[in-house]
Amino acid sequence: EAGVVQSPRYKIIEKKQPVAFWCNPISGHNTLYWYLQNLGQGPELLIRYENEEAVDDSQLPKDRFSAERLKGVDSTLKIQPAELGDSAVYLCASSSGQGAQNEQYFGPGTRLTVT
Amino acid sequence: GDSVTQMEGPVTLSEEAFLTINCTYTATGYPSLFWYVQYPGEGLQLLLKATKADDKGSNKGFEATYRKETTSFHLEKGSVQVSDSAVYFCALLLRTGGFKTIFGAGTRLFVKA
């Protein structure tokens, strides 16, 4: 069974440019998460989807970040415009539910460098 | 607020040494507790978990016991191997206000042959 797929793995852009990250969760997983991981820190939740509905986007900086999961399967996270402080690893994870018994499976992440 | 505090790394050990990585938490209610591991170039993966007080999670020789009285979930392994070199994250899952996972900053472990 394929794991969580993310692309690209690495992205380098200049500040003020837009960037998009794509995630394909494990087949059948209805819960999808986007996390931000700064160097030397643990992941911080940006947004959580239950199917196509964003049920927790309280930590998403909505002035420049947006996300969508139109058909409840794969998802895209966008930043426009990017700032220097957005340099980080963006992680996608999925689970078959949201309860304590439902393990989150993580993708390898996209490392973004904003110059 | 709710938070997880891990011992700072890096931790450097020789093969077959005993490992302890400390983790303490602050949370309202009764969270579930997890240890995730991230090997170089890979995504985080669940190592073990405990869902209530006094539960012991174990996997691949690693163990951690949910201690409500000390709000701790320390990770231990009796004899580490070079292949255990990775970053270890302690995390808690809150049920109040919707399910939310909070991660610690991670502890990097280096095991020397």
Side-chain angles (χ1 to χ4, degrees), chain A residues 36-111:
Chain A
L36 165 70
Q37 186 177 19
N38 286 305
L39 186 65
Q41 300 296 317
E44 300 173 29
L45 182 70
L46 289 171
I47 189 168
R48 174 167 62 90
Y49 282 93
E50 295 293 334
N51 299 303
E52 65 275 9
E53 181 182 1
V55 296
D56 184 355
D57 63 356
S58 57
Q59 301 303 311
L60 188 73
K62 299 180 183 63
D63 57 335
R64 298 184 299 108
F65 286 64
S66 64
E68 59 184 19
R69 193 185 184 200
L70 295 176
K71 297 183 179 179
V73 181
D74 58 343
S75 175
T76 302
L77 178 69
K78 298 178 181 177
I79 308 175
Q80 182 170 12
E83 297 179 352
L84 295 176
D86 296 331
S87 295
V89 176
Y90 291 83
L91 299 171
C92 180
S94 69
S95 67
S96 59
Q98 59 175 341
Q101 303 304 318
N102 293 306
E103 175 184 347
Q104 292 185 43
Y105 293 81
F106 284 81
T110 296
R111 182 176 297 277

Side-chain angles (χ1 to χ4, degrees), chain B residues 9-65:
Chain B
V11 174
T12 302
L13 296 173
S14 297
E15 209 165 21
E16 300 183 1
F18 184 87
L19 168 71
T20 299
I21 299 178
N22 290 337
C23 171
T24 58
Y25 67 90
T26 302
T28 53
Y30 302 96
S32 296
L33 301 174
F34 304 83
W35 277 100
Y36 282 82
V37 58
Q38 186 173 31
Y39 298 104
E42 299 183 15
L44 279 77
Q45 52 187 277
L46 182 66
L47 180 59
L48 54 84
K49 66 182 179 184
T51 58
K52 62 183 186 297
D54 300 325
D55 268 3
K56 176 186 284 188
S58 61
N59 185 26
K60 300 181 181 179
F62 290 89
E63 293 183 342
T65 301

